[in-house]
Structure formats: structure tokens, C-alpha cells
mmCIF file of all heavy atoms in Angstrom:
data_model
loop_
_atom_site.group_PDB
_atom_site.id
_atom_site.type_symbol
_atom_site.label_atom_id
_atom_site.label_comp_id
_atom_site.label_asym_id
_atom_site.label_seq_id
_atom_site.Cartn_x
_atom_site.Cartn_y
_atom_site.Cartn_z
ATOM 1 N N THR A 1 114.583 -20.499 -168.729
ATOM 2 C CA THR A 1 115.656 -20.294 -167.768
ATOM 3 C C THR A 1 116.559 -19.170 -168.278
ATOM 4 O O THR A 1 116.331 -18.602 -169.350
ATOM 5 C CB THR A 1 116.508 -21.576 -167.600
ATOM 6 O OG1 THR A 1 117.298 -21.772 -168.779
ATOM 7 C CG2 THR A 1 115.634 -22.803 -167.353
ATOM 8 N N SER A 2 117.597 -18.866 -167.531
ATOM 9 C CA SER A 2 118.552 -17.842 -167.977
ATOM 10 C C SER A 2 119.348 -18.314 -169.193
ATOM 11 O O SER A 2 119.936 -17.499 -169.908
ATOM 12 C CB SER A 2 119.506 -17.494 -166.831
ATOM 13 O OG SER A 2 120.217 -18.657 -166.403
ATOM 14 N N GLU A 3 119.358 -19.638 -169.442
ATOM 15 C CA GLU A 3 120.133 -20.183 -170.556
ATOM 16 C C GLU A 3 119.319 -20.307 -171.838
ATOM 17 O O GLU A 3 119.869 -20.191 -172.933
ATOM 18 C CB GLU A 3 120.681 -21.566 -170.188
ATOM 19 C CG GLU A 3 121.685 -21.552 -169.052
ATOM 20 C CD GLU A 3 122.180 -22.947 -168.716
ATOM 21 O OE1 GLU A 3 121.758 -23.915 -169.379
ATOM 22 O OE2 GLU A 3 122.988 -23.062 -167.789
ATOM 23 N N TYR A 4 118.027 -20.591 -171.716
ATOM 24 C CA TYR A 4 117.227 -20.849 -172.918
ATOM 25 C C TYR A 4 115.786 -20.375 -172.748
ATOM 26 O O TYR A 4 115.297 -20.200 -171.624
ATOM 27 C CB TYR A 4 117.244 -22.341 -173.271
ATOM 28 C CG TYR A 4 116.688 -23.253 -172.206
ATOM 29 C CD1 TYR A 4 115.304 -23.365 -171.997
ATOM 30 C CD2 TYR A 4 117.529 -24.003 -171.390
ATOM 31 C CE1 TYR A 4 114.793 -24.198 -171.012
ATOM 32 C CE2 TYR A 4 117.021 -24.830 -170.397
ATOM 33 C CZ TYR A 4 115.648 -24.930 -170.217
ATOM 34 O OH TYR A 4 115.129 -25.741 -169.246
ATOM 35 N N SER A 5 115.135 -20.196 -173.880
ATOM 36 C CA SER A 5 113.707 -19.901 -173.931
ATOM 37 C C SER A 5 113.074 -20.897 -174.887
ATOM 38 O O SER A 5 113.412 -20.936 -176.075
ATOM 39 C CB SER A 5 113.464 -18.466 -174.416
ATOM 40 O OG SER A 5 112.083 -18.198 -174.515
ATOM 41 N N SER A 6 112.183 -21.719 -174.376
ATOM 42 C CA SER A 6 111.567 -22.801 -175.138
ATOM 43 C C SER A 6 110.510 -22.271 -176.107
ATOM 44 O O SER A 6 109.963 -21.177 -175.930
ATOM 45 C CB SER A 6 110.928 -23.785 -174.150
ATOM 46 O OG SER A 6 110.080 -24.710 -174.779
ATOM 47 N N SER A 7 110.182 -23.084 -177.093
ATOM 48 C CA SER A 7 109.035 -22.794 -177.956
ATOM 49 C C SER A 7 107.732 -23.222 -177.291
ATOM 50 O O SER A 7 106.645 -22.951 -177.814
ATOM 51 C CB SER A 7 109.175 -23.519 -179.301
ATOM 52 O OG SER A 7 109.031 -24.923 -179.119
ATOM 53 N N GLY A 8 107.837 -23.909 -176.157
ATOM 54 C CA GLY A 8 106.650 -24.326 -175.416
ATOM 55 C C GLY A 8 105.797 -25.326 -176.169
ATOM 56 O O GLY A 8 104.573 -25.244 -176.146
ATOM 57 N N HIS A 9 106.441 -26.305 -176.794
ATOM 58 C CA HIS A 9 105.668 -27.238 -177.613
ATOM 59 C C HIS A 9 104.894 -28.261 -176.785
ATOM 60 O O HIS A 9 103.724 -28.537 -177.068
ATOM 61 C CB HIS A 9 106.574 -27.959 -178.607
ATOM 62 C CG HIS A 9 105.843 -28.969 -179.433
ATOM 63 N ND1 HIS A 9 104.737 -28.647 -180.177
ATOM 64 C CD2 HIS A 9 106.024 -30.304 -179.599
ATOM 65 C CE1 HIS A 9 104.275 -29.732 -180.785
ATOM 66 N NE2 HIS A 9 105.039 -30.750 -180.444
ATOM 67 N N LEU A 10 105.535 -28.848 -175.778
ATOM 68 C CA LEU A 10 104.893 -29.884 -174.969
ATOM 69 C C LEU A 10 105.054 -29.568 -173.489
ATOM 70 O O LEU A 10 106.123 -29.109 -173.063
ATOM 71 C CB LEU A 10 105.518 -31.259 -175.246
ATOM 72 C CG LEU A 10 105.311 -31.867 -176.635
ATOM 73 C CD1 LEU A 10 106.181 -33.117 -176.789
ATOM 74 C CD2 LEU A 10 103.843 -32.214 -176.873
ATOM 75 N N TYR A 11 104.013 -29.868 -172.710
ATOM 76 C CA TYR A 11 104.093 -29.658 -171.262
ATOM 77 C C TYR A 11 104.304 -31.015 -170.586
ATOM 78 O O TYR A 11 103.367 -31.728 -170.241
ATOM 79 C CB TYR A 11 102.833 -28.977 -170.731
ATOM 80 C CG TYR A 11 103.017 -28.449 -169.331
ATOM 81 C CD1 TYR A 11 103.647 -27.221 -169.111
ATOM 82 C CD2 TYR A 11 102.591 -29.164 -168.223
ATOM 83 C CE1 TYR A 11 103.842 -26.726 -167.828
ATOM 84 C CE2 TYR A 11 102.778 -28.686 -166.934
ATOM 85 C CZ TYR A 11 103.401 -27.468 -166.742
ATOM 86 O OH TYR A 11 103.597 -26.983 -165.468
ATOM 87 N N LEU A 12 105.586 -31.371 -170.433
ATOM 88 C CA LEU A 12 105.961 -32.625 -169.790
ATOM 89 C C LEU A 12 105.976 -32.451 -168.282
ATOM 90 O O LEU A 12 106.452 -31.426 -167.766
ATOM 91 C CB LEU A 12 107.341 -33.080 -170.248
ATOM 92 C CG LEU A 12 107.431 -33.876 -171.562
ATOM 93 C CD1 LEU A 12 107.105 -33.000 -172.758
ATOM 94 C CD2 LEU A 12 108.818 -34.483 -171.726
ATOM 95 N N THR A 13 105.452 -33.455 -167.571
ATOM 96 C CA THR A 13 105.526 -33.480 -166.122
ATOM 97 C C THR A 13 105.974 -34.858 -165.663
ATOM 98 O O THR A 13 105.871 -35.840 -166.408
ATOM 99 C CB THR A 13 104.155 -33.181 -165.463
ATOM 100 O OG1 THR A 13 103.271 -34.306 -165.681
ATOM 101 C CG2 THR A 13 103.518 -31.926 -166.030
ATOM 102 N N TRP A 14 106.459 -34.911 -164.417
ATOM 103 C CA TRP A 14 106.774 -36.188 -163.780
ATOM 104 C C TRP A 14 106.004 -36.261 -162.472
ATOM 105 O O TRP A 14 105.985 -35.298 -161.686
ATOM 106 C CB TRP A 14 108.281 -36.319 -163.556
ATOM 107 C CG TRP A 14 108.975 -36.588 -164.851
ATOM 108 C CD1 TRP A 14 109.258 -37.804 -165.407
ATOM 109 C CD2 TRP A 14 109.419 -35.611 -165.792
ATOM 110 N NE1 TRP A 14 109.849 -37.649 -166.634
ATOM 111 C CE2 TRP A 14 109.963 -36.311 -166.901
ATOM 112 C CE3 TRP A 14 109.416 -34.218 -165.828
ATOM 113 C CZ2 TRP A 14 110.493 -35.659 -168.012
ATOM 114 C CZ3 TRP A 14 109.943 -33.563 -166.926
ATOM 115 C CH2 TRP A 14 110.473 -34.287 -168.009
ATOM 116 N N LEU A 15 105.357 -37.385 -162.250
ATOM 117 C CA LEU A 15 104.494 -37.577 -161.087
ATOM 118 C C LEU A 15 105.315 -38.215 -159.971
ATOM 119 O O LEU A 15 105.540 -39.432 -159.961
ATOM 120 C CB LEU A 15 103.302 -38.462 -161.455
ATOM 121 C CG LEU A 15 102.543 -38.076 -162.746
ATOM 122 C CD1 LEU A 15 101.349 -38.995 -162.960
ATOM 123 C CD2 LEU A 15 102.119 -36.608 -162.719
ATOM 124 N N GLN A 16 105.789 -37.396 -159.067
ATOM 125 C CA GLN A 16 106.672 -37.891 -157.993
ATOM 126 C C GLN A 16 105.984 -38.965 -157.171
ATOM 127 O O GLN A 16 104.826 -38.812 -156.758
ATOM 128 C CB GLN A 16 107.082 -36.737 -157.085
ATOM 129 C CG GLN A 16 108.298 -35.993 -157.558
ATOM 130 C CD GLN A 16 108.965 -35.250 -156.406
ATOM 131 O OE1 GLN A 16 108.310 -34.768 -155.504
ATOM 132 N NE2 GLN A 16 110.278 -35.160 -156.446
ATOM 133 N N GLY A 17 106.710 -40.057 -156.932
ATOM 134 C CA GLY A 17 106.182 -41.151 -156.127
ATOM 135 C C GLY A 17 105.298 -42.114 -156.896
ATOM 136 O O GLY A 17 104.855 -43.120 -156.338
ATOM 137 N N ALA A 18 105.030 -41.822 -158.180
ATOM 138 C CA ALA A 18 104.175 -42.694 -158.994
ATOM 139 C C ALA A 18 105.040 -43.643 -159.810
ATOM 140 O O ALA A 18 106.148 -43.298 -160.219
ATOM 141 C CB ALA A 18 103.288 -41.870 -159.912
ATOM 142 N N ASP A 19 104.524 -44.835 -160.056
ATOM 143 C CA ASP A 19 105.183 -45.754 -160.971
ATOM 144 C C ASP A 19 104.433 -45.755 -162.296
ATOM 145 O O ASP A 19 103.472 -44.976 -162.492
ATOM 146 C CB ASP A 19 105.264 -47.160 -160.376
ATOM 147 C CG ASP A 19 103.890 -47.732 -160.029
ATOM 148 O OD1 ASP A 19 102.850 -47.169 -160.440
ATOM 149 O OD2 ASP A 19 103.860 -48.773 -159.326
ATOM 150 N N GLN A 20 104.844 -46.622 -163.212
ATOM 151 C CA GLN A 20 104.225 -46.649 -164.535
ATOM 152 C C GLN A 20 102.739 -46.995 -164.459
ATOM 153 O O GLN A 20 101.913 -46.414 -165.178
ATOM 154 C CB GLN A 20 104.962 -47.646 -165.441
ATOM 155 C CG GLN A 20 104.551 -47.569 -166.900
ATOM 156 C CD GLN A 20 105.444 -48.431 -167.779
ATOM 157 O OE1 GLN A 20 106.604 -48.672 -167.452
ATOM 158 N NE2 GLN A 20 104.911 -48.901 -168.884
ATOM 159 N N ALA A 21 102.376 -47.904 -163.576
ATOM 160 C CA ALA A 21 100.968 -48.292 -163.447
ATOM 161 C C ALA A 21 100.120 -47.117 -162.975
ATOM 162 O O ALA A 21 99.016 -46.884 -163.484
ATOM 163 C CB ALA A 21 100.846 -49.467 -162.484
ATOM 164 N N LYS A 22 100.634 -46.368 -162.002
ATOM 165 C CA LYS A 22 99.897 -45.199 -161.500
ATOM 166 C C LYS A 22 99.796 -44.126 -162.580
ATOM 167 O O LYS A 22 98.747 -43.479 -162.741
ATOM 168 C CB LYS A 22 100.591 -44.648 -160.258
ATOM 169 C CG LYS A 22 99.951 -43.373 -159.695
ATOM 170 C CD LYS A 22 98.510 -43.594 -159.250
ATOM 171 C CE LYS A 22 97.932 -42.341 -158.607
ATOM 172 N NZ LYS A 22 96.501 -42.496 -158.270
ATOM 173 N N ARG A 23 100.879 -43.920 -163.317
ATOM 174 C CA ARG A 23 100.849 -42.946 -164.417
ATOM 175 C C ARG A 23 99.771 -43.326 -165.433
ATOM 176 O O ARG A 23 98.972 -42.481 -165.865
ATOM 177 C CB ARG A 23 102.234 -42.883 -165.071
ATOM 178 C CG ARG A 23 102.406 -41.798 -166.146
ATOM 179 C CD ARG A 23 102.074 -42.263 -167.575
ATOM 180 N NE ARG A 23 102.665 -43.512 -167.955
ATOM 181 C CZ ARG A 23 103.928 -43.657 -168.367
ATOM 182 N NH1 ARG A 23 104.730 -42.630 -168.438
ATOM 183 N NH2 ARG A 23 104.365 -44.857 -168.743
ATOM 184 N N ASN A 24 99.734 -44.595 -165.819
ATOM 185 C CA ASN A 24 98.755 -45.049 -166.807
ATOM 186 C C ASN A 24 97.326 -44.937 -166.274
ATOM 187 O O ASN A 24 96.396 -44.579 -167.009
ATOM 188 C CB ASN A 24 99.059 -46.482 -167.224
ATOM 189 C CG ASN A 24 100.360 -46.593 -168.004
ATOM 190 O OD1 ASN A 24 100.902 -45.587 -168.470
ATOM 191 N ND2 ASN A 24 100.874 -47.802 -168.144
ATOM 192 N N GLU A 25 97.156 -45.240 -164.994
ATOM 193 C CA GLU A 25 95.838 -45.094 -164.364
ATOM 194 C C GLU A 25 95.399 -43.630 -164.381
ATOM 195 O O GLU A 25 94.228 -43.318 -164.642
ATOM 196 C CB GLU A 25 95.901 -45.604 -162.923
ATOM 197 C CG GLU A 25 94.596 -45.439 -162.153
ATOM 198 C CD GLU A 25 94.752 -45.724 -160.667
ATOM 199 O OE1 GLU A 25 95.809 -46.249 -160.259
ATOM 200 O OE2 GLU A 25 93.811 -45.395 -159.912
ATOM 201 N N THR A 26 96.345 -42.726 -164.137
ATOM 202 C CA THR A 26 96.032 -41.291 -164.131
ATOM 203 C C THR A 26 95.624 -40.810 -165.523
ATOM 204 O O THR A 26 94.686 -40.012 -165.664
ATOM 205 C CB THR A 26 97.242 -40.493 -163.619
ATOM 206 O OG1 THR A 26 97.608 -40.969 -162.313
ATOM 207 C CG2 THR A 26 96.926 -39.008 -163.536
ATOM 208 N N ILE A 27 96.298 -41.300 -166.552
ATOM 209 C CA ILE A 27 95.927 -40.939 -167.924
ATOM 210 C C ILE A 27 94.496 -41.396 -168.222
ATOM 211 O O ILE A 27 93.719 -40.650 -168.845
ATOM 212 C CB ILE A 27 96.922 -41.548 -168.929
ATOM 213 C CG1 ILE A 27 98.280 -40.835 -168.824
ATOM 214 C CG2 ILE A 27 96.387 -41.448 -170.362
ATOM 215 C CD1 ILE A 27 99.367 -41.436 -169.682
ATOM 216 N N LEU A 28 94.134 -42.590 -167.757
ATOM 217 C CA LEU A 28 92.771 -43.091 -167.956
ATOM 218 C C LEU A 28 91.760 -42.237 -167.193
ATOM 219 O O LEU A 28 90.683 -41.891 -167.718
ATOM 220 C CB LEU A 28 92.687 -44.544 -167.510
ATOM 221 C CG LEU A 28 91.314 -45.228 -167.679
ATOM 222 C CD1 LEU A 28 90.856 -45.195 -169.142
ATOM 223 C CD2 LEU A 28 91.372 -46.668 -167.181
ATOM 224 N N GLN A 29 92.086 -41.860 -165.962
ATOM 225 C CA GLN A 29 91.190 -41.005 -165.177
ATOM 226 C C GLN A 29 91.000 -39.646 -165.850
ATOM 227 O O GLN A 29 89.881 -39.110 -165.892
ATOM 228 C CB GLN A 29 91.750 -40.820 -163.764
ATOM 229 C CG GLN A 29 91.688 -42.071 -162.913
ATOM 230 C CD GLN A 29 92.415 -41.887 -161.593
ATOM 231 O OE1 GLN A 29 93.522 -41.348 -161.541
ATOM 232 N NE2 GLN A 29 91.785 -42.347 -160.507
ATOM 233 N N LEU A 30 92.079 -39.087 -166.376
ATOM 234 C CA LEU A 30 91.983 -37.816 -167.094
ATOM 235 C C LEU A 30 91.077 -37.966 -168.319
ATOM 236 O O LEU A 30 90.246 -37.089 -168.602
ATOM 237 C CB LEU A 30 93.370 -37.330 -167.502
ATOM 238 C CG LEU A 30 94.279 -36.822 -166.371
ATOM 239 C CD1 LEU A 30 95.704 -36.624 -166.887
ATOM 240 C CD2 LEU A 30 93.756 -35.516 -165.786
ATOM 241 N N ALA A 31 91.231 -39.076 -169.034
ATOM 242 C CA ALA A 31 90.404 -39.321 -170.218
ATOM 243 C C ALA A 31 88.920 -39.391 -169.843
ATOM 244 O O ALA A 31 88.062 -38.845 -170.547
ATOM 245 C CB ALA A 31 90.844 -40.603 -170.916
ATOM 246 N N GLU A 32 88.633 -40.039 -168.731
ATOM 247 C CA GLU A 32 87.244 -40.136 -168.284
ATOM 248 C C GLU A 32 86.687 -38.773 -167.884
ATOM 249 O O GLU A 32 85.469 -38.549 -167.936
ATOM 250 C CB GLU A 32 87.156 -41.117 -167.116
ATOM 251 C CG GLU A 32 87.392 -42.567 -167.546
ATOM 252 C CD GLU A 32 87.556 -43.523 -166.378
ATOM 253 O OE1 GLU A 32 87.766 -43.031 -165.240
ATOM 254 O OE2 GLU A 32 87.494 -44.751 -166.609
ATOM 255 N N ALA A 33 87.582 -37.858 -167.521
ATOM 256 C CA ALA A 33 87.174 -36.488 -167.190
ATOM 257 C C ALA A 33 87.176 -35.582 -168.425
ATOM 258 O O ALA A 33 86.992 -34.367 -168.306
ATOM 259 C CB ALA A 33 88.098 -35.912 -166.120
ATOM 260 N N GLY A 34 87.412 -36.167 -169.601
ATOM 261 C CA GLY A 34 87.384 -35.404 -170.843
ATOM 262 C C GLY A 34 88.687 -34.734 -171.201
ATOM 263 O O GLY A 34 88.707 -33.812 -172.025
ATOM 264 N N ILE A 35 89.792 -35.194 -170.618
ATOM 265 C CA ILE A 35 91.104 -34.572 -170.843
ATOM 266 C C ILE A 35 92.023 -35.561 -171.557
ATOM 267 O O ILE A 35 92.263 -36.661 -171.058
ATOM 268 C CB ILE A 35 91.750 -34.151 -169.505
ATOM 269 C CG1 ILE A 35 90.860 -33.137 -168.773
ATOM 270 C CG2 ILE A 35 93.148 -33.583 -169.731
ATOM 271 C CD1 ILE A 35 91.231 -32.947 -167.312
ATOM 272 N N SER A 36 92.549 -35.168 -172.701
ATOM 273 C CA SER A 36 93.491 -36.011 -173.443
ATOM 274 C C SER A 36 94.905 -35.745 -172.939
ATOM 275 O O SER A 36 95.373 -34.601 -172.979
ATOM 276 C CB SER A 36 93.406 -35.713 -174.940
ATOM 277 O OG SER A 36 92.117 -35.974 -175.437
ATOM 278 N N ALA A 37 95.566 -36.783 -172.470
ATOM 279 C CA ALA A 37 96.960 -36.680 -172.034
ATOM 280 C C ALA A 37 97.799 -37.673 -172.829
ATOM 281 O O ALA A 37 97.271 -38.510 -173.559
ATOM 282 C CB ALA A 37 97.074 -36.935 -170.541
ATOM 283 N N ASN A 38 99.109 -37.585 -172.679
ATOM 284 C CA ASN A 38 99.993 -38.403 -173.501
ATOM 285 C C ASN A 38 101.269 -38.699 -172.727
ATOM 286 O O ASN A 38 101.436 -38.245 -171.585
ATOM 287 C CB ASN A 38 100.298 -37.660 -174.814
ATOM 288 C CG ASN A 38 100.512 -38.595 -175.979
ATOM 289 O OD1 ASN A 38 101.080 -39.670 -175.826
ATOM 290 N ND2 ASN A 38 100.055 -38.190 -177.163
ATOM 291 N N VAL A 39 102.190 -39.427 -173.361
ATOM 292 C CA VAL A 39 103.498 -39.732 -172.784
ATOM 293 C C VAL A 39 104.561 -39.426 -173.832
ATOM 294 O O VAL A 39 104.445 -39.831 -174.979
ATOM 295 C CB VAL A 39 103.592 -41.213 -172.349
ATOM 296 C CG1 VAL A 39 105.003 -41.545 -171.871
ATOM 297 C CG2 VAL A 39 102.572 -41.513 -171.268
ATOM 298 N N HIS A 40 105.623 -38.710 -173.440
ATOM 299 C CA HIS A 40 106.724 -38.371 -174.339
ATOM 300 C C HIS A 40 108.051 -38.625 -173.620
ATOM 301 O O HIS A 40 108.412 -37.855 -172.739
ATOM 302 C CB HIS A 40 106.651 -36.911 -174.756
ATOM 303 C CG HIS A 40 105.465 -36.588 -175.599
ATOM 304 N ND1 HIS A 40 104.232 -36.281 -175.061
ATOM 305 C CD2 HIS A 40 105.315 -36.547 -176.944
ATOM 306 C CE1 HIS A 40 103.378 -36.042 -176.036
ATOM 307 N NE2 HIS A 40 104.004 -36.200 -177.190
ATOM 308 N N TYR A 41 108.767 -39.643 -174.025
ATOM 309 C CA TYR A 41 108.490 -40.668 -175.013
ATOM 310 C C TYR A 41 108.776 -42.010 -174.415
ATOM 311 O O TYR A 41 109.466 -42.116 -173.401
ATOM 312 C CB TYR A 41 109.393 -40.487 -176.243
ATOM 313 C CG TYR A 41 108.950 -39.408 -177.185
ATOM 314 C CD1 TYR A 41 109.597 -38.180 -177.191
ATOM 315 C CD2 TYR A 41 107.894 -39.604 -178.066
ATOM 316 C CE1 TYR A 41 109.201 -37.189 -178.063
ATOM 317 C CE2 TYR A 41 107.503 -38.611 -178.951
ATOM 318 C CZ TYR A 41 108.151 -37.402 -178.935
ATOM 319 O OH TYR A 41 107.750 -36.421 -179.779
ATOM 320 N N LYS A 42 108.316 -43.044 -175.088
ATOM 321 C CA LYS A 42 108.769 -44.391 -174.755
ATOM 322 C C LYS A 42 110.179 -44.521 -175.329
ATOM 323 O O LYS A 42 110.380 -44.387 -176.540
ATOM 324 C CB LYS A 42 107.836 -45.419 -175.388
ATOM 325 C CG LYS A 42 107.987 -46.820 -174.863
ATOM 326 C CD LYS A 42 106.857 -47.711 -175.367
ATOM 327 C CE LYS A 42 106.933 -49.098 -174.751
ATOM 328 N NZ LYS A 42 105.804 -49.939 -175.194
ATOM 329 N N PRO A 43 111.199 -44.737 -174.493
ATOM 330 C CA PRO A 43 112.574 -44.787 -175.009
ATOM 331 C C PRO A 43 112.726 -45.825 -176.122
ATOM 332 O O PRO A 43 112.091 -46.884 -176.103
ATOM 333 C CB PRO A 43 113.400 -45.159 -173.779
ATOM 334 C CG PRO A 43 112.578 -44.679 -172.624
ATOM 335 C CD PRO A 43 111.150 -44.897 -173.028
ATOM 336 N N LEU A 44 113.579 -45.518 -177.071
ATOM 337 C CA LEU A 44 113.743 -46.396 -178.233
ATOM 338 C C LEU A 44 114.095 -47.833 -177.849
ATOM 339 O O LEU A 44 113.587 -48.775 -178.471
ATOM 340 C CB LEU A 44 114.799 -45.815 -179.179
ATOM 341 C CG LEU A 44 114.477 -44.447 -179.794
ATOM 342 C CD1 LEU A 44 115.583 -44.033 -180.763
ATOM 343 C CD2 LEU A 44 113.125 -44.442 -180.490
ATOM 344 N N PRO A 45 114.948 -48.074 -176.840
ATOM 345 C CA PRO A 45 115.284 -49.472 -176.521
ATOM 346 C C PRO A 45 114.105 -50.299 -176.000
ATOM 347 O O PRO A 45 114.218 -51.523 -175.892
ATOM 348 C CB PRO A 45 116.365 -49.325 -175.444
ATOM 349 C CG PRO A 45 116.958 -47.984 -175.680
ATOM 350 C CD PRO A 45 115.811 -47.133 -176.108
ATOM 351 N N LEU A 46 112.980 -49.646 -175.670
ATOM 352 C CA LEU A 46 111.792 -50.386 -175.251
ATOM 353 C C LEU A 46 110.925 -50.807 -176.440
ATOM 354 O O LEU A 46 109.962 -51.555 -176.265
ATOM 355 C CB LEU A 46 110.940 -49.535 -174.295
ATOM 356 C CG LEU A 46 111.536 -49.256 -172.913
ATOM 357 C CD1 LEU A 46 110.613 -48.323 -172.134
ATOM 358 C CD2 LEU A 46 111.761 -50.550 -172.138
ATOM 359 N N LEU A 47 111.256 -50.320 -177.627
ATOM 360 C CA LEU A 47 110.460 -50.593 -178.818
ATOM 361 C C LEU A 47 111.020 -51.803 -179.574
ATOM 362 O O LEU A 47 112.232 -51.996 -179.654
ATOM 363 C CB LEU A 47 110.435 -49.366 -179.728
ATOM 364 C CG LEU A 47 109.893 -48.083 -179.075
ATOM 365 C CD1 LEU A 47 110.054 -46.904 -180.022
ATOM 366 C CD2 LEU A 47 108.436 -48.256 -178.671
#
């Protein structure tokens, strides 16, 4: 942006209209297609 330039470490996205179950299902589908995906992060109060 005009304020900052990232190091581009992680490509975070949000899946509009999806809930946690749909997100997890999508990660599994990606894995079956040979694509490793992840989640950043599980908030500390959930741990």
C-alpha cells in the first residue's frame, strides 16, 4: 500500500461466506489436489 511494503512472507486469504467447516473442507480438497495450505493463526485464547 502507500503506507507499507511487505516482505511477502505469507499469502493470507479469507473465504467470504465460508465458515470454519467449509474452510477446513477446502484445505482437505486442496491437499487431495496436491496443494499444501495452512491457517495463520489459531488465536491464543483458543489454545
Side-chain angles (χ1 to χ4, degrees):
T1 72
S2 59
E3 295 179 1
Y4 60 76
S5 178
S6 168
S7 69
H9 178 55
L10 293 171
Y11 194 81
L12 276 69
T13 71
W14 286 269
L15 312 183
Q16 273 202 326
D19 58 12
Q20 190 172 333
K22 177 62 176 175
R23 186 269 312 279
N24 293 345
E25 177 190 349
T26 303
I27 289 175
L28 181 58
Q29 290 173 315
L30 289 169
E32 290 170 345
I35 300 165
S36 299
N38 212 324
V39 175
H40 294 85
Y41 281 103
K42 194 170 185 177
L44 298 183
L46 291 176
L47 302 174

